[in-house]
Amino acid sequence: MQTTDIGNKEEGKVWHRKPTPSNTGIMVTVIRSAAAYQSKTVRFLHVTFDTTGDSFLAGDHHGNIYVLDITRNRFRLVQKTGQACTALAFNLRRTTEFLVALADYSIKCFDKDTKQLVSWMRGHEGAVSSVSVHGSGRYAISTSADTAQLWDLDTFQRKRKLNVRQSVGIQRVFFLPLGNTILSCFNDDSIFAWESDTLFCKYQLPVPDEGPRIHYKAFAVTRDGKILAAGGRSNLLHLWCLDTRQLLRVVQMPPKVRTVRQLEFLPDSFDGGASQTLGVLSQDGVMRFINIQTCKLLFNIGSHDDAITSATVSPNGRHIVTIMDNGSLNIYSVQCLTQDYNKPPPSLVKVVSGGECSALTMKVKSEGVQRPAKNSGRRVKTKVLRPPAVPMTEDKENELPDGLNKKRLVTLLKAFGEYPAKYRMFVWRSLLRLPENHAAFSSLTDKGLHSAYLSIQERYPIKSHKLQRGLQRVLSALAHWAAIFGETDYLPLMAFPFVKLFQNNPLLCFEVVSTTIVNWCQHWFEYFPNPPLNVLSMAENVLAHHDKELLQHLIDCGVTSQLYVWPLLETLFSEVLTRDEWLKLFDNVFSNHPAFLLVSVVSYVTCCRAPLLLCSHKEDFEYFFHHRNNLDVSSVIKETYRLMESTPADIHPRNMLDDFQPLTRGQYPVFNKYPTYIVEYQSQERERIRQQEVDYLRERQAVQELRAKAVQRQAEDEAWYTQQEILQQAEEKRRDILQQEESKLAEQRTRLTAMKRELKVKELQLMDAARRRFLKQQQDQRLTDLHRLDEQIQRKMNTRDQETAAAVQDIQVRQMELEAQRRLFEQQLAKEQVRVTQEVRAEVDTRRHRSEVEETTFQHLLNNDTDVSLGTKKVSVHLLVLWCLVFSVSLDRGRGELDCRERELMQNIRELRQKLAARARTSNSTVSQ
């Protein structure tokens, strides 16, 4: 056994060497180790197969969804949901899409190839526990604890919603295979069937009134949709027949099983969908596979140390994938697990009941069958058959069950021609004295479908599947009862009208057919496989006695009794009569001696005397006795009674046939009135042929698979070569297109170059014209600026001339004022000198010092006066220089130089003015002192 760790890989191989399954059947174990901790693994939670069974989806606890392809030995990460999944579905109509139910109660649809989200469905208020997809892949049902919702997978819109009371939760809601029926299972063990289109309730399986409740938790249905297996908190399994809505069998698992967690049927390619192997996963982590017919334990997977959490079986029945308790995946090979079928099983399972639920338990063991033992489990209802009361009259043979009398019934029948339709089945059951052996019939049906009738739908196709299954079931029971009925070709024709009449009660149908065979088909099988020549001779003798002319005509035309008697007998008139006519005829057949059926054939021929005398070809006679004719069945019955009374005793069939013998109660009688060696030989030959057919089918399937693979490879090769040719042609076309485009591009480049050259020349011309225009504009602007500057300079010169003249005038006036002040000062000084001289002279000794000071002061004033005179002269010089400079400036110089000179001159003038003002103030202050 090899182990594969996918880790954080997004794709790779499932196994690295070819798997060689051991005795456990494990091909490979798949684990996923965590990224941060190599010792820890990420648990896988759910697994689901696609419709082919070759690949499956697996979702882990981190929300990663992987697809594992077993045939191609590849795995691939197809989605990262980010949260744990609670359910998966991978059998949608679009095979690349799958459904994932997540922990946030939503359902998402992804595409495994593009890894894109297709749709997001919301609506549940609890965790989704299961998702069931219809066989067509168009609809899906999602189930949570409180509701189930029906989705349209084309539009991803919710169509219907099933709500239940809080006290009654939902266990599971799912589609049945091969139909449009939805099965809903609730916590109170009630099971309802609904039409998926209208959600109309079709039926409800009866809930057992007595015994402990099983508390259904696990369910499984066979591929043909006929058998439902249910289990729960018990070691008992209930097997329901969904056609009859009855409990077929209760299977008791070994004592180690206390709770059933999961049920899975194991498909088989040759069982026609009626799976016989059921896998039962219990609380101990062991999944036990049993045969539901023989109730034998076939094999186990898992163990107490290596427990299984859940398991999924592939639709083709080749592989089983289990999720183990440690979170890993085990992939099993079913072929290796089932190779020891013929070996004695290691343990036993018990059959609690079957059919109408017998009150006894049959313990099945590998070495033999024990005597019946009382069931220690739940009580099961049984039907008590009351023996008929002992008649007090001498005519005991006319007394029937349920208080009926045969003579009175025949009298009523002759008076009205038929029994009332409302009571016909009741009367027939009394006339035929059916024992209703439920246990015996169950033992026959438990053997399953007989090999002779596995493919009866190919020979006798019927539109109604229900009738087809009912006919197949009754014929199989007859074949298990007597081997000859598995070799009788006309038995389906004989049994079909009864199957159609008793389609809701297979037990009564079987007993009516078997009673008819035992009594009204006496001596039919003595010349098997040839028609019963002795019986045909009886009918021919009666016809010869009553209508020699017609018989001679038939002989002259080469028509024997095998052509005009045997077609009516082997089909029991079902081909030549309508339903009402057939029922009317058999009301009389079942009410009379078994010879009545044979005589009715003769009466039918004599009543058709006129058209038969007109026929001369053998093909016309064949057609006549296999199709309906314009004939009154009442006249045939009336003629039959007449022939029964008028036929001589030496040729009367009554003397050659036994009286009516009902079936025995408890067990059906042994039927051996046929050449056993021929039947055994044919049975052996049929079994040999069937085995050869099985081998041939297997070989043909293998050859077809090889051929399909070869065709697929050839198709892939052809497709690859075709693709390469297409790619090469496309490449050549693209090269031609590329060359053309390159040539066009070269031409366009040449034209573009010429256009660029022309544009460049035009651009240069425009640039030159613009440059000349700009230069002219600049020249004009400069001339305008020069004129404006000249005007400004002229204005400023005029302003400066005026200011200079005003300044000169001010200076002159100031000079005159200073001169006048000087003169006034001189006068005052002279006066002061006189006064001071006088004072000095007066006070020459006392004020000598003051006189010196005044003399120093006077000298200082003289100096100041000199400086004022000099300053005045300098101002005059500066003004003259300024005027000269203003007029010596050239008109061609720039404005900036003129402004700078102007600012310098103005600054000089200000400074001169300030100096003159300061000196004037100083002079004034000195004078005032």
Side-chain angles (χ1 to χ4, degrees):
M1 182 184 69
Q2 54 182 315
T3 302
T4 301
D5 185 2
I6 63 177
N8 291 326
K9 301 176 185 177
E10 293 195 356
E11 60 178 345
K13 294 184 178 180
V14 181
W15 54 78
H16 299 285
R17 64 180 184 274
K18 186 176 181 180
T20 54
S22 59
N23 294 332
T24 59
I26 300 177
M27 299 172 58
V28 65
T29 299
V30 181
I31 63 173
R32 180 173 180 260
S33 60
Y37 306 97
Q38 295 294 332
S39 60
K40 293 185 178 180
T41 59
V42 180
R43 295 179 55 84
F44 286 98
L45 299 179
H46 295 280
V47 170
T48 180
F49 275 91
D50 63 354
T51 53
T52 63
D54 296 332
S55 61
F56 62 90
L57 288 177
D60 63 15
H61 184 67
H62 289 176
N64 299 320
I65 309 297
Y66 294 87
V67 58
L68 290 88
D69 195 325
I70 302 176
T71 57
R72 297 182 180 178
N73 186 25
R74 301 293 299 176
F75 75 86
R76 182 163 58 93
L77 177 65
V78 295
Q79 197 56 236
K80 292 183 178 180
T81 61
Q83 51 185 327
C85 64
T86 59
L88 289 172
F90 195 23
N91 50 353
L92 278 65
R93 182 166 62 177
R94 294 178 287 273
T95 56
T96 60
E97 295 179 1
F98 61 92
L99 298 178
V100 182
L102 301 174
D104 61 353
Y105 311 153
S106 66
I107 303 174
K108 292 183 178 180
C109 180
F110 294 100
D111 191 297
K112 70 179 180 67
D113 292 342
T114 62
K115 300 184 180 180
Q116 297 296 323
L117 176 64
V118 178
S119 181
W120 192 345
M121 298 175 283
R122 291 182 175 272
H124 284 279
E125 298 179 356
V128 178
S129 58
S130 65
V131 177
S132 174
V133 180
H134 189 264
S136 64
R138 183 178 177 183
Y139 303 103
I141 295 178
S142 56
T143 307
S144 59
D146 57 343
T147 183
Q149 302 188 15
L150 178 63
W151 304 90
D152 188 339
L153 297 183
D154 288 341
T155 61
F156 295 100
Q157 299 293 325
R158 184 175 64 189
K159 294 187 63 178
R160 296 294 180 89
K161 183 178 181 181
L162 173 63
N163 291 320
V164 296
R165 298 192 306 270
Q166 241 180 353
S167 58
V168 182
I170 300 176
Q171 278 295 333
R172 191 178 170 192
V173 180
F174 55 92
F175 285 103
L176 288 181
L178 304 178
N180 294 323
T181 304
I182 300 175
L183 216 61
S184 59
C185 311
F186 300 94
N187 288 341
D188 58 354
D189 290 352
S190 61
I191 300 175
F192 292 85
W194 314 80
E195 284 286 349
S196 60
D197 297 333
T198 62
L199 287 186
F200 175 76
C201 183
K202 298 175 64 177
Y203 58 85
Q204 177 188 1
L205 296 182
V207 180
D209 297 332
E210 299 180 359
R213 284 184 55 196
I214 293 184
H215 299 282
Y216 291 153
K217 297 292 181 183
F219 306 91
V221 183
T222 56
R223 287 191 302 167
D224 58 2
K226 295 181 179 180
I227 303 298
L228 169 67
R233 301 178 192 170
S234 172
N235 66 341
L236 300 179
L237 300 179
H238 282 182
L239 298 180
W240 293 90
C241 178
L242 298 181
D243 289 340
T244 61
R245 297 138 198 180
Q246 294 180 353
L247 184 62
L248 288 179
R249 188 176 296 104
V250 178
V251 180
Q252 183 177 4
M253 296 299 293
K256 294 181 180 179
V257 177
R258 298 189 303 273
T259 301
V260 177
R261 290 184 176 179
Q262 187 179 355
L263 295 174
E264 291 287 343
F265 277 102
L266 186 62
D268 192 343
S269 302
F270 303 99
D271 60 5
S275 305
Q276 303 296 315
T277 304
L278 177 64
V280 183
L281 178 62
S282 57
Q283 84 291 337
D284 57 359
V286 179
M287 194 167 192
R288 300 168 174 86
F289 287 84
I290 64 171
N291 187 298
I292 61 174
Q293 297 295 333
T294 61
C295 297
K296 289 184 179 180
L297 183 61
L298 304 177
F299 59 89
N300 296 340
I301 58 175
S303 62
H304 180 72
D305 298 330
D306 194 11
I308 297 175
T309 302
S310 64
T312 305
V313 180
S314 64
N316 55 21
R318 297 178 183 175
H319 301 95
I320 302 173
V321 178
T322 61
I323 301 177
M324 311 308 292
D325 193 35
N326 58 6
S328 63
L329 296 179
N330 281 354
I331 302 178
Y332 291 85
S333 172
V334 177
Q335 183 179 2
C336 296
L337 293 172
T338 58
Q339 64 184 356
D340 295 335
Y341 264 4
N342 296 326
K343 294 182 179 180
S347 60
L348 309 173
V349 287
K350 302 175 183 179
V351 179
V352 173
S353 59
E356 285 285 328
C357 299
S358 172
L360 302 179
T361 301
M362 297 296 296
K363 297 182 179 180
V364 182
K365 292 187 177 181
S366 57
E367 62 272 9
V369 180
Q370 295 182 350
R371 293 181 177 272
K374 291 185 178 180
N375 182 15
S376 58
R378 53 177 293 183
R379 290 173 50 193
V380 187
K381 290 184 177 180
T382 58
K383 186 172 182 179
V384 180
L385 299 176
R386 298 180 179 179
V390 179
M392 300 302 295
T393 63
E394 296 180 355
D395 194 9
K396 295 182 180 180
E397 64 274 7
N398 290 324
E399 294 297 332
L400 299 176
D402 300 319
L404 298 180
N405 186 275
K406 187 175 181 179
K407 283 186 176 181
R408 295 178 182 176
L409 289 176
V410 172
T411 303
L412 293 174
L413 179 61
K414 290 182 178 180
F416 296 98
E418 61 180 336
Y419 293 123
K422 183 177 181 180
Y423 302 103
R424 177 175 280 117
M425 298 300 103
F426 172 72
V427 173
W428 281 18
R429 188 170 58 183
S430 299
L431 288 172
L432 299 178
R433 299 181 183 181
L434 302 180
E436 299 185 20
N437 297 326
H438 295 281
F441 178 70
S442 297
S443 64
L444 294 176
T445 56
D446 290 346
K447 296 178 181 180
L449 297 179
H450 196 272
S451 59
Y453 299 108
L454 289 176
S455 59
I456 189 175
Q457 64 276 4
E458 299 177 0
R459 292 178 293 167
Y460 303 98
I462 302 175
K463 292 183 179 180
S464 174
H465 294 289
K466 183 177 182 181
L467 283 178
Q468 186 81 54
R469 293 193 297 267
L471 178 63
Q472 192 176 27
R473 184 177 181 181
V474 171
L475 293 177
S476 298
L478 290 171
H480 290 308
W481 176 44
I484 189 174
F485 298 131
E487 310 296 331
T488 307
D489 295 334
Y490 57 84
L491 186 62
L493 301 174
M494 182 189 302
F496 178 73
F498 297 105
V499 172
K500 192 172 182 180
L501 193 62
F502 296 94
Q503 56 182 330
N504 294 325
N505 197 330
L507 172 63
L508 293 182
C509 179
F510 171 80
E511 292 188 348
V512 169
V513 174
S514 57
T515 303
T516 303
I517 292 174
V518 170
N519 293 279
W520 281 270
C521 299
Q522 297 180 35
H523 310 293
W524 281 27
F525 308 101
E526 295 177 358
Y527 292 90
F528 185 83
N530 299 317
L533 300 179
N534 52 346
V535 177
L536 301 181
S537 299
M538 289 187 235
E540 194 170 21
N541 293 334
V542 176
L543 179 61
H545 177 75
H546 293 284
D547 198 338
K548 293 181 180 179
E549 181 183 0
L550 178 59
L551 178 61
Q552 187 62 40
H553 175 71
L554 295 174
I555 294 173
D556 294 341
C557 295
V559 178
T560 63
S561 58
Q562 297 184 21
L563 190 61
Y564 67 86
V565 176
W566 183 235
L568 301 177
L569 289 177
E570 66 178 354
T571 60
L572 297 182
F573 291 88
S574 61
E575 286 185 343
V576 297
L577 297 179
T578 63
R579 173 187 171 88
D580 294 336
E581 292 173 346
W582 187 87
L583 292 174
K584 190 173 183 180
L585 174 63
F586 271 82
D587 283 344
N588 292 271
V589 170
F590 289 154
S591 301
N592 289 276
H593 190 275
F596 190 89
L597 178 63
L598 190 59
V599 176
S600 63
V601 173
V602 179
S603 64
Y604 181 85
V605 174
T606 56
C607 290
C608 298
R609 185 175 188 276
L612 289 175
L613 290 175
L614 296 176
C615 296
S616 59
H617 298 286
K618 189 175 182 180
E619 293 79 8
D620 297 337
F621 290 100
E622 291 179 354
Y623 182 85
F624 185 88
F625 288 103
H626 284 280
H627 293 80
R628 295 177 183 175
N629 303 291
N630 188 13
L631 180 66
D632 185 13
V633 70
S634 299
S635 61
V636 175
I637 297 173
K638 185 177 180 181
E639 180 66 15
T640 304
Y641 279 109
R642 189 187 70 80
L643 295 180
M644 286 286 291
E645 296 176 357
S646 61
T647 302
D650 55 344
I651 61 172
H652 202 295
R654 182 191 298 270
N655 298 327
M656 303 176 186
L657 298 177
D658 297 333
D659 293 336
F660 175 78
Q661 296 292 333
L663 298 179
T664 58
R665 296 184 182 275
Q667 294 293 333
Y668 296 120
V670 177
F671 188 86
N672 55 3
K673 297 179 181 180
Y674 57 89
T676 57
Y677 64 94
I678 296 179
V679 175
E680 291 176 358
Y681 174 77
Q682 287 191 350
S683 178
Q684 292 173 2
E685 286 296 313
R686 185 183 296 276
E687 183 63 24
R688 183 181 62 81
I689 293 173
R690 190 186 69 83
Q691 188 63 34
Q692 289 179 354
E693 289 179 353
V694 171
D695 297 338
Y696 167 73
L697 290 175
R698 289 177 180 173
E699 293 177 359
R700 187 178 69 177
Q701 184 178 2
V703 171
Q704 288 178 351
E705 291 177 357
L706 293 175
R707 184 179 300 170
K709 290 181 180 179
V711 171
Q712 183 179 2
R713 290 197 195 97
Q714 184 178 1
E716 291 176 355
D717 294 341
E718 292 294 333
W720 186 83
Y721 286 119
T722 304
Q723 185 179 9
Q724 294 301 316
E725 292 177 359
I726 294 173
L727 291 176
Q728 187 174 1
Q729 294 175 359
E731 185 178 359
E732 292 176 357
K733 290 182 180 179
R734 286 179 175 81
R735 285 180 180 176
D736 296 338
I737 295 172
L738 185 60
Q739 291 178 358
Q740 295 175 3
E741 292 295 330
E742 287 179 353
S743 60
K744 291 180 181 179
L745 184 61
E747 295 176 358
Q748 290 179 357
R749 285 178 179 174
T750 304
R751 291 195 297 269
L752 183 61
T753 304
M755 292 176 62
K756 284 183 178 179
R757 190 181 300 110
E758 293 178 0
L759 290 174
K760 192 67 176 178
V761 172
K762 291 182 180 180
E763 183 180 2
L764 292 174
Q765 292 176 355
L766 291 173
M767 288 177 64
D768 185 55
R771 184 179 62 80
R772 288 197 298 270
R773 184 178 178 184
F774 177 73
L775 290 176
K776 185 176 181 302
Q777 192 268 344
Q778 288 292 325
Q779 186 176 2
D780 295 342
Q781 184 69 27
R782 287 178 181 177
L783 290 175
T784 304
D785 293 341
L786 286 175
H787 289 305
R788 191 181 297 111
L789 286 174
D790 290 341
E791 292 176 356
Q792 290 179 357
I793 289 171
Q794 187 65 36
R795 288 195 302 271
K796 288 184 179 180
M797 288 176 64
N798 295 334
T799 303
R800 288 190 184 110
D801 290 343
Q802 294 174 1
E803 290 178 353
T804 302
V808 170
Q809 291 177 2
D810 290 340
I811 292 173
Q812 290 176 356
V813 172
R814 186 64 180 167
Q815 186 176 4
M816 292 173 66
E817 289 178 353
L818 289 175
E819 188 66 26
Q821 289 180 359
R822 184 181 66 79
R823 289 174 183 173
L824 180 61
F825 182 71
E826 287 178 353
Q827 292 176 2
Q828 291 178 356
L829 183 58
K831 291 178 180 181
E832 185 68 25
Q833 286 179 353
V834 173
R835 188 180 61 79
V836 169
T837 302
Q838 292 175 0
E839 289 180 356
V840 168
R841 286 177 181 174
E843 297 180 1
V844 67
D845 293 332
T846 57
R847 297 187 180 276
R848 185 177 296 276
H849 182 66
R850 183 177 179 180
S851 176
E852 293 177 356
V853 172
E854 289 179 353
E855 186 178 358
T856 304
T857 305
F858 178 75
Q859 291 293 330
H860 181 68
L861 289 173
L862 288 176
N863 294 330
N864 291 336
D865 189 26
T866 303
D867 294 333
V868 169
S869 300
L870 292 173
T872 305
K873 293 179 180 179
K874 290 180 179 178
V875 169
S876 301
V877 173
H878 283 296
L879 290 173
L880 291 173
V881 172
L882 176 62
W883 186 85
C884 292
L885 289 172
V886 169
F887 285 94
S888 64
V889 176
S890 177
L891 294 174
D892 297 330
R893 293 185 180 181
R895 181 180 178 183
E897 185 177 357
L898 291 176
D899 293 339
C900 183
R901 292 294 183 103
E902 181 182 359
R903 285 193 298 269
E904 290 178 357
L905 289 175
M906 293 300 294
Q907 184 67 25
N908 291 333
I909 290 172
R910 291 191 192 96
E911 290 177 356
L912 286 175
R913 287 180 178 177
Q914 290 175 359
K915 288 180 180 181
L916 291 174
R919 288 182 180 182
R921 285 193 299 272
T922 304
S923 175
N924 290 333
S925 63
T926 303
V927 172
S928 63
Q929 289 179 1

